[in-house]
Amino acid sequence: MRLLIAVTHLLGTGHLSRALALAEAFTAGGWRVDVASGGRPAPHLTPNPTGGGATLHQLPPLASDGADFATLLGADGTPADAGLFAARQAMLTRLLDSLRPDVLITELFPFGRRALAAEFDALLERARALPQQPLTLASVRDILAPPSKPKRVAETEDRLLRLYDGVLVHSDPALIPLEDSWPLTPAMKPLLRYTGFVVPPPSVPDDGTDGQGEILVTAGGGPVGRPVFEAAALCAASGALPQRWRLLVAKGDAALADRLRGLAPPDRLLVEPVRPDFRALLGRASASVGRCGYNTALDCLTAGVPSVFCPFEDGKEVEQTIRAAILARQPGIATLREADLTPDSLAHALQSVLGVRIPPLSPAALAGAARSVEIVEALLAEKTS
């Protein structure tokens, strides 16, 4: 069986990371998997096809202008033109024609990525025109940006009913049902298939002690992470909490890291690049501070570490705010809006969760990648029977 996943990440790499986690689960199940990636290259996430993994096809890349997802930039940082969009669309449809997948998955679309509707529509219409139509599914995370206008809901419903066979929802409905963020219509609901959360495999236990009892802070690179890192460093300097703080800053933010180191003595504050053993550090920490993207939130939930989430809210972004508010219903989790983020408010939020472990999620809730394979294979069998 062959699967084609079409994904474009525009700001962070969470969408691509989730798509590749799905690809890994399908290849483990004996599928041939191709991923058409339309965001900027992310070498740290590139699969290794020689090791039996997915094949990554890089489209001419796009990125958002910060949190402005209506303004898309090409590889050179200038606004994308018609030629770039045409080249992407042509490459996508050529891939479909040459691969003839049994299953086609579009990540986020049609619930999001409206700026790329023309290329997705062309791909979907071409799939419907093939002699052997692939099973066509949308793949969405737990939280969606609510539609800005009522007509967006009608447009999404129309595409789903005309062009799709189902929607994979990578969430646990007992914790975060999709309708908490998106107004589902009666016609949409039968298409939903909840998979559980898509998370990386459990980290390998180690005997390390780095991070033991510390407050661990991760918040992304550039302007996305800077307010959280600065508040954390100043909180460390204040001595309001007895724990040492460890800030994991993106490797490309060396100047920020140097400035943060100057805000507190090294016995209270350690600043270092993001580490591959982050999840092991998280399991040994007293508490975690960070944004509230899908992957970050799930890492904290899986580790059971007390957490303070500071959702990213620039522009019209509401996804992380909604997720943080829902998760804060759980013991051991607090949320702090960026407008309220100060060293004192951060210390107060941490004091409210320290020592309170987050209730563990069930194994089924964390098996979203494997469950996705099972659901797709069942739908495919039903379609071809």
Side-chain angles (χ1 to χ4, degrees), residues 143-190:
I143 299 289
L144 295 169
S148 57
K149 303 174 183 177
K151 72 173 185 177
R152 303 295 189 201
V153 179
E155 291 169 353
T156 301
E157 180 187 77
D158 175 67
R159 283 191 175 97
L160 287 174
L161 297 181
R162 285 190 302 108
L163 302 169
Y164 286 86
D165 299 296
V167 180
L168 301 176
V169 184
H170 304 305
S171 181
D172 177 355
L175 183 61
I176 308 180
L178 193 62
E179 52 263 39
D180 276 4
S181 59
W182 185 274
L184 296 171
T185 66
M188 292 180 188
K189 291 182 179 180

Side-chain angles (χ1 to χ4, degrees), residues 337-353:
R337 301 288 295 269
E338 189 164 318
D340 302 322
L341 178 59
T342 66
D344 287 344
S345 65
L346 181 55
H348 180 75
L350 281 163
Q351 287 165 345
S352 73
V353 299

Side-chain angles (χ1 to χ4, degrees), residues 224-301:
V224 173
R226 188 175 297 119
V228 178
F229 286 130
E230 290 176 346
L234 291 171
C235 192
S238 74
L241 298 169
Q243 292 84 358
R244 184 169 79 157
W245 295 64
R246 184 183 296 258
L247 278 54
L248 300 185
V249 180
K251 292 181 180 179
D253 287 338
L256 173 62
D258 288 341
R259 187 159 60 82
L260 293 170
R261 291 187 186 98
L263 296 178
D267 62 325
R268 300 207 52 78
L269 176 68
L270 176 63
V271 181
E272 60 182 358
V274 175
R275 294 169 47 153
D277 63 345
F278 159 70
R279 296 173 75 211
L281 293 176
L282 196 62
R284 293 191 286 265
S286 288
S288 169
V289 176
R291 295 302 194 182
C292 199
Y294 184 90
N295 296 327
T296 298
L298 284 172
D299 283 337
C300 294
L301 290 171

Side-chain angles (χ1 to χ4, degrees), residues 29-382:
W31 286 63
R32 289 182 298 166
V33 182
D34 296 88
V35 178
S37 176
R40 287 176 176 163
H44 63 293
L45 294 177
T46 302
N48 178 13
T50 61
T55 299
L56 185 69
H57 305 268
Q58 179 63 57
L59 304 179
L62 290 172
S64 62
D65 186 4
D68 178 8
F69 294 100
T71 303
L72 301 183
L73 309 177
D76 61 357
T78 62
D81 59 20
L84 177 57
F85 287 113
R88 287 169 57 91
Q89 181 174 314
M91 184 173 175
L92 269 176
T93 52
R94 282 198 305 267
L95 270 175
L96 181 73
D97 288 342
S98 64
L99 298 174
R100 297 296 175 100
D102 300 282
V103 179
L104 171 64
I105 291 178
T106 61
E107 203 279 333
L108 188 55
F109 192 81
F111 293 91
R113 297 290 180 263
R114 285 186 294 273
L116 301 177
E119 69 183 43
F120 277 113
D121 283 342
L123 178 68
L124 293 160
E125 296 286 0
R126 181 70 64 93
R128 280 293 186 250
L130 290 175
Q132 188 164 344
Q133 298 177 6
L135 179 77
T136 302
L137 305 168
S139 167
V140 298
R141 63 195 176 205
D142 56 342
I143 299 289
L144 295 169
S148 57
K149 303 174 183 177
K151 72 173 185 177
R152 303 295 189 201
V153 179
E155 291 169 353
T156 301
E157 180 187 77
D158 175 67
R159 283 191 175 97
L160 287 174
L161 297 181
R162 285 190 302 108
L163 302 169
Y164 286 86
D165 299 296
V167 180
L168 301 176
V169 184
H170 304 305
S171 181
D172 177 355
L175 183 61
I176 308 180
L178 193 62
E179 52 263 39
D180 276 4
S181 59
W182 185 274
L184 296 171
T185 66
M188 292 180 188
K189 291 182 179 180
L191 294 173
L192 303 188
R193 300 291 186 276
Y194 282 93
T195 69
F197 297 105
V198 174
V199 298
S203 56
V204 177
D206 62 37
D207 298 324
T209 59
D210 279 4
Q212 189 71 47
E214 296 176 344
I215 297 172
L216 184 64
V217 184
T218 59
V224 173
R226 188 175 297 119
V228 178
F229 286 130
E230 290 176 346
L234 291 171
C235 192
S238 74
L241 298 169
Q243 292 84 358
R244 184 169 79 157
W245 295 64
R246 184 183 296 258
L247 278 54
L248 300 185
V249 180
K251 292 181 180 179
D253 287 338
L256 173 62
D258 288 341
R259 187 159 60 82
L260 293 170
R261 291 187 186 98
L263 296 178
D267 62 325
R268 300 207 52 78
L269 176 68
L270 176 63
V271 181
E272 60 182 358
V274 175
R275 294 169 47 153
D277 63 345
F278 159 70
R279 296 173 75 211
L281 293 176
L282 196 62
R284 293 191 286 265
S286 288
S288 169
V289 176
R291 295 302 194 182
C292 199
Y294 184 90
N295 296 327
T296 298
L298 284 172
D299 283 337
C300 294
L301 290 171
T302 303
V305 62
S307 300
V308 175
F309 292 127
C310 305
F312 178 65
E313 301 178 279
D314 279 8
K316 298 179 181 179
E317 282 291 285
V318 296
E319 168 225 335
Q320 293 195 16
T321 303
I322 295 171
R323 182 180 295 109
I326 293 171
L327 294 181
R329 301 169 188 165
Q330 305 286 311
I333 297 177
T335 183
L336 188 57
R337 301 288 295 269
E338 189 164 318
D340 302 322
L341 178 59
T342 66
D344 287 344
S345 65
L346 181 55
H348 180 75
L350 281 163
Q351 287 165 345
S352 73
V353 299
L354 279 164
V356 183
R357 304 299 290 185
I358 299 174
L361 294 175
S362 69
L366 296 172
R371 180 63 182 143
S372 295
V373 179
E374 294 174 359
I375 291 171
V376 169
E377 290 179 343
L379 289 172
L380 190 59
E382 181 181 322

